[in-house]
Amino acid sequence: MFKKLTSEFDHFKSQTHNFRILTLTNLVYALVLPVIDIFVAAYIMRNSNDTSKVVIYQLAIYTGIPLTFLLNGFLLKHFNIKTLYSIGMMLSGVSMVIMMSLKTLDLTGIAVAGITMGLSFGLYWSNRDYLAISITNDENRNYYYGLETFIYTIIAIAVPATIGWFIQSKTGEADKHTAYLTITGVVFVITFLASVVCFMGRFENPVQKQYIFFKFHSLWYKLLSLALFKGLAQGFLVTAPAMLIFKILGEEGALGNAQSIGAILAAIIIYFIGRFSKPSDRVKTFSVGLILFAVGACLNGFLFNQTGVIVFLLLLLMARPLMDLAYFPIQLRVIDIVSRIEKRGEFTYILNHEAGLYAGRLLGAGTFLVLYYVVSEDFALRYAIGIIALLQLFSIYLSKKIITEGNKIAPEHIKEDEQIDIKVIEEAAAKLVKS
């Protein structure tokens, strides 16, 4: 066992310096992600008991993200990417302070807090996505995302359970509010530490300065369609577990405990899939994740009780990382291919990709809100997730088409580049012979 752990650690050390620093930065920041994803939603539920406000908060976040992706393209011309990355992480604490300082959770205050969190996520994810594509290649991306997912899943065990226990240990609304303020302070400390680690990297800004284009290769439009389906679930799936648990299981303590079920097993499985799977295995991994999500969502809709919620969360705990483990390498592979064909910088596609996600998020959140206001809150919580999960199954077909077309295009294009390189070498050799 010890020998195996040493071997895995040596494999991590064999990666590049920037690979290790980016992973460590994300490891530290991952400590606050469960707080942002789960307990901010729980805070809104506790103080308003209105699931529509949770979804509106999520919509505000998702509106701020693409705007900040666009802004980040301009800021990268003037500021170091490490600075922008760090500011993104720090802003998540600022958003929580805004939320906790609201005397009443009205829509204006929730929207301001949500937009601020969107600014945070926009700076964080746009710069993180660019760094991920610049420091990895198609061969080690399964490992990179498998390692990250392993880290996030382990943290998803400890953090929700610990925070849930901490909040539940307080009696009275005033003490619970103080507990949330304490958690916000801890978030600030952790984001500062993550920023310190980030500055140890030797990260470089994108070279190309133009990021906005309106015409793309047909392969890219297929990926945008896949992004739309991914965004459908993101529209409210981040906060759906919190809403379901608060409504059906009851308290934050149950929230933490439910999030921890099966997480250790899931983390180990995901790590080894990322470590040993090949690029050719991505459709299989993606399909398993989507099917598990659909099964869990349909069972939740059918049962809509404590058992249904726990089973859904258990399957979701495995499904989400499997979907991400396959999706992100597919996305970066397409960016590699299309950016080479169109001779544009990678950040162009990172920015444009967010538009596809945003369209899906609006449709996903909109589905929930329509069902909420037209039918009822219970109907929306019961059936919206199932509708989205079944629609997402179309992503299996799309991912196959994308990978097949990408494999047809990539060899020809790489071959052309190799011919150019050989010609340059031959010319250099001829000059050397003459001299």
Side-chain angles (χ1 to χ4, degrees):
M1 182 67 179
F2 179 76
K3 188 176 181 180
K4 182 62 179 175
L5 290 173
T6 303
S7 172
E8 294 304 313
F9 184 64
D10 288 341
H11 184 74
F12 175 72
K13 289 197 298 182
S14 70
Q15 306 300 316
T16 64
H17 172 78
N18 281 342
F19 184 107
R20 299 194 305 270
I21 292 299
L22 183 62
T23 303
L24 292 173
T25 300
N26 296 335
L27 184 157
V28 177
Y29 187 65
L31 293 169
V32 307
L33 288 177
V35 182
I36 295 168
D37 287 347
I38 300 171
F39 288 95
V40 173
Y43 179 81
I44 296 173
M45 285 292 294
R46 170 173 287 282
N47 289 275
S48 70
N49 199 33
D50 187 346
T51 53
S52 68
K53 289 186 176 180
V54 178
V55 178
I56 290 168
Y57 170 72
Q58 204 64 41
L59 271 177
I61 291 177
Y62 288 140
T63 300
I65 290 174
L67 294 175
T68 315
F69 265 67
L70 189 62
L71 176 63
N72 189 59
F74 170 77
L75 294 175
L76 282 169
K77 299 177 184 179
H78 305 282
F79 298 95
N80 186 278
I81 192 168
K82 290 186 286 190
T83 302
L84 297 174
Y85 196 24
S86 299
I87 291 173
M89 292 186 286
M90 296 290 288
L91 275 174
S92 57
V94 175
S95 173
M96 290 184 66
V97 169
I98 294 172
M99 180 69 74
M100 303 305 161
S101 64
L102 296 175
K103 293 182 179 178
T104 57
L105 290 180
D106 56 20
L107 293 181
T108 302
I110 289 172
V112 170
I115 290 288
T116 306
M117 191 64 81
L119 294 174
S120 167
F121 283 168
L123 285 174
Y124 173 73
W125 283 106
S126 57
N127 292 302
R128 170 181 158 159
D129 286 351
Y130 173 75
L131 292 175
I133 195 172
S134 65
I135 68 168
T136 63
N137 55 59
D138 197 50
E139 294 302 316
N140 68 0
R141 279 174 188 154
N142 282 18
Y143 172 62
Y144 172 78
Y145 284 108
L147 179 60
E148 279 206 338
T149 306
F150 170 76
I151 291 167
Y152 291 162
T153 310
I154 290 293
I155 288 171
I157 302 168
V159 172
T162 303
I163 294 178
W165 168 82
F166 178 65
I167 294 172
Q168 282 300 103
S169 67
K170 307 299 178 182
T171 56
E173 290 303 312
D175 287 343
K176 288 185 183 294
H177 183 74
T178 302
Y180 275 104
L181 292 177
T182 304
I183 293 166
T184 303
V186 173
V187 166
F188 262 113
V189 173
I190 293 172
T191 54
F192 175 77
L193 292 175
S195 300
V196 171
V197 176
C198 177
F199 271 87
M200 296 178 183
R202 295 187 285 269
F203 304 133
E204 296 181 2
N205 285 37
V207 175
Q208 188 174 342
K209 302 304 179 185
Q210 183 181 353
Y211 306 120
I212 301 176
F213 295 90
F214 297 99
K215 289 187 177 180
F216 295 92
H217 191 277
S218 60
L219 179 61
W220 182 249
Y221 289 121
K222 288 184 178 67
L223 186 79
L224 285 183
S225 300
L226 192 65
L228 185 144
F229 280 100
K230 180 179 174 63
L232 275 175
Q234 287 186 340
F236 66 95
L237 189 55
V238 170
T239 49
M243 293 188 291
L244 283 170
I245 292 168
F246 207 93
K247 279 288 182 181
I248 296 177
L249 297 186
E251 293 285 346
E252 289 93 334
L255 181 71
N257 292 332
Q259 287 298 104
S260 300
I261 296 174
I264 295 176
L265 178 61
I268 294 170
I269 292 171
I270 296 300
Y271 175 79
F272 282 105
I273 290 174
R275 175 74 166 85
F276 297 107
S277 64
K278 300 174 183 178
S280 59
D281 297 323
R282 287 168 187 163
V283 173
K284 299 173 190 173
T285 305
F286 200 33
S287 301
V288 172
L290 288 165
I291 291 168
L292 286 175
F293 174 40
V295 170
C298 291
L299 281 174
N300 174 68
F302 179 73
L303 298 173
F304 202 58
N305 56 21
Q306 291 189 357
T307 302
V309 171
I310 291 174
V311 170
F312 170 64
L313 290 173
L314 181 61
L315 292 178
L316 184 63
L317 198 62
M318 178 65 74
R320 285 179 68 179
L322 282 172
M323 290 188 286
D324 288 345
L325 180 60
Y327 182 88
F328 289 121
I330 291 172
Q331 175 198 347
L332 298 193
R333 172 66 169 160
V334 172
I335 292 175
D336 281 342
I337 296 168
V338 181
S339 64
R340 192 187 290 261
I341 292 172
E342 298 183 324
K343 294 179 171 55
R344 297 171 182 171
E346 293 94 340
F347 193 80
T348 295
Y349 302 95
I350 291 171
L351 174 61
N352 192 257
H353 177 262
E354 193 60 30
L357 288 176
Y358 184 59
R361 289 162 180 164
L362 284 179
L363 287 172
T367 300
F368 178 87
L369 290 175
V370 168
L371 294 176
Y372 178 93
Y373 287 111
V374 174
V375 186
S376 69
E377 179 183 46
D378 283 351
F379 189 89
L381 281 172
R382 185 168 189 170
Y383 295 113
I385 300 172
I387 292 169
I388 297 301
L390 291 174
L391 285 173
Q392 270 206 309
L393 291 176
F394 187 69
S395 298
I396 298 172
Y397 169 75
L398 265 179
S399 63
K400 286 181 180 178
K401 287 202 68 173
I402 289 168
I403 290 174
T404 301
E405 185 176 336
N407 288 339
K408 287 180 181 177
I409 297 171
E412 294 178 4
H413 203 72
I414 292 169
K415 189 176 179 181
E416 289 173 7
D417 285 348
E418 287 173 350
Q419 289 171 348
I420 294 170
D421 292 340
I422 291 169
K423 189 176 180 181
V424 170
I425 292 169
E426 287 175 346
E427 289 175 355
K431 289 179 182 178
L432 185 62
V433 170
K434 280 184 180 180
S435 64

